[in-house]
Amino acid sequence: MRLVALDFDGAFTDLRREFPVVREQFFSLMRARTKLSQRALRQHYCEQLAVVRAAPHIHGWRNNGHVIAAGTVDPYIELRTVCELILQVTGALATEAEREKELDSYFGKLNPEIVSHFKPRAATVLTKVEQLGWPAIIVTNSHTGSVKAKLAALDNGRGLFPGLMTNVYGHAGKYVPDVLCADVPRAYLRVRGFDRPMLVRRAKHFAVLDKHRREHGLAWSDVIGVGDIFENDLAMLFQLGGRVGLVDHHRVPHYEREFMWRHAPQTRLLRRDLSDTLRFITE
């Protein structure tokens, strides 16, 4: 028996198809905050996007004074990072804490009727995971209700994965660093080719995984994680000895691809279409 911990958005959904609508809603909220015209905002966006893409290890998703994900590994993270720089350079919000709070609020203000685009094998993989009879959870930074609604839409009344439907842990804090979280023995993970050591101590995320691991009497080596952002979804679990599968996508940086190949079989770069995900979980 093993514990399966799945991310959802990005791993089982196609963010590229959802992103244009989200970006426009972000722009609307940014115009209201900065008082910039649409043209001026888009000019700032292009300028700061170039800054982020030139040094994503420096300009990334920030939390509590730390960069906790490179700025280009995900379209939403890139959007957030660029918007934070715009708020900074325009003087719209003076402090990092204010900017973090502002951008956090935008995700809560997004239109809940944004259509999710599921990967073709998403329902099949979730159904097969459920049928294994192992403990399985979805651990996400998104709102619990939002992910449950997406699962319900994917299930479409078929009753394919009722266990997963009741085991969604939202606001899991995978993006909240905690340098003092001694439960994770080593605070940093160095990845060859990446200039910044990854701070992998995430106390809230650890608590969710550890609770379920202990309930089933499992070792960390019996915990399997699947996600699409290595630094937030998987790096901590890797450091603890768990097996991790990174769902491939066009933004996975070369150093993460090489890391996944180098550390196999503990790690696996999974196909974008999820066709080898179940095999990885059951190996």
Side-chain angles (χ1 to χ4, degrees):
M1 182 173 66
R2 298 167 188 166
L3 169 63
V4 182
L6 307 171
D7 183 43
F8 189 75
D9 291 311
F12 290 90
T13 64
D14 186 345
L15 296 185
R16 284 195 295 180
R17 297 179 65 188
E18 300 171 7
F19 179 67
V21 176
V22 173
R23 181 177 55 197
E24 291 308 310
Q25 291 192 25
F26 254 69
F27 282 172
S28 177
L29 294 165
M30 285 288 289
R31 286 197 300 271
R33 167 55 68 181
T34 62
K35 310 304 181 187
L36 293 170
S37 67
Q38 181 170 332
R39 181 176 180 179
L41 178 63
R42 290 184 182 274
Q43 181 175 346
H44 275 290
Y45 183 83
C46 291
E47 291 171 355
Q48 298 309 317
L49 179 61
V51 171
V52 171
R53 289 183 173 177
H57 61 292
I58 297 173
H59 301 290
W61 186 357
R62 299 187 66 85
N63 188 280
N64 292 340
H66 299 277
V67 176
I68 47 86
T72 55
V73 295
D74 173 274
Y76 292 172
I77 289 176
E78 185 175 78
L79 175 63
R80 180 195 175 100
T81 303
V82 172
C83 288
E84 182 174 4
L85 288 176
I86 294 171
L87 292 173
Q88 182 178 357
V89 300
T90 60
L93 291 172
T95 70
E96 182 177 312
E98 289 177 316
R99 295 191 292 271
E100 283 183 14
K101 183 177 180 181
E102 176 78 6
L103 294 168
D104 283 345
S105 75
Y106 287 3
F107 287 98
K109 294 175 182 177
L110 294 176
N111 186 342
E113 296 181 358
I114 292 174
V115 176
S116 291
H117 295 275
F118 303 110
K119 295 182 178 180
R121 289 184 172 87
T124 300
V125 172
L126 295 177
T127 301
K128 295 293 186 182
V129 168
E130 179 105 352
Q131 291 173 348
L132 289 172
W134 297 347
I137 57 177
I138 291 176
V139 188
T140 173
N141 288 323
S142 302
H143 296 277
T144 301
S146 170
V147 173
K148 284 189 173 183
K150 292 176 183 180
L151 286 168
L154 178 61
D155 179 75
N156 195 27
R158 293 173 289 178
L160 299 176
F161 31 81
L164 281 169
M165 289 280 289
T166 58
N167 281 286
V168 177
Y169 294 85
H171 298 291
K174 292 190 281 187
Y175 62 92
V176 181
D178 185 349
V179 180
L180 301 178
C181 178
D183 292 315
V184 182
R186 290 174 292 166
Y188 292 94
L189 174 65
R190 289 202 171 267
V191 175
R192 187 187 305 173
F194 188 52
D195 292 337
R196 169 177 55 79
M198 295 181 179
L199 175 56
V200 301
R201 285 180 169 171
R202 313 288 168 100
K204 288 184 66 177
H205 187 199
F206 176 88
V208 174
L209 297 182
D210 194 48
K211 172 180 178 292
H212 288 273
R213 179 186 71 88
R214 288 177 177 274
E215 283 179 357
H216 296 280
L218 299 173
W220 282 110
S221 58
D222 296 319
V223 182
I224 301 168
V226 173
D228 66 308
I229 301 176
F230 177 74
E231 193 165 356
N232 282 350
D233 296 331
L234 305 172
M236 181 188 72
L237 180 56
F238 171 84
Q239 194 86 304
L240 291 165
R243 295 179 61 234
V244 298
L246 177 63
V247 180
D248 194 10
H249 54 89
H250 73 292
R251 287 178 176 266
V252 174
H254 68 88
Y255 53 83
E256 290 185 0
R257 294 180 187 276
E258 292 171 3
F259 183 90
M260 301 304 283
W261 295 328
R262 190 178 305 118
H263 292 277
Q266 186 183 352
T267 57
R268 178 76 57 81
L269 185 65
L270 301 172
R271 294 173 185 162
R272 301 183 189 192
D273 64 1
L274 306 175
S275 59
D276 58 348
T277 299
L278 191 69
R279 188 184 319 126
F280 167 71
I281 290 172
T282 56
E283 282 177 349

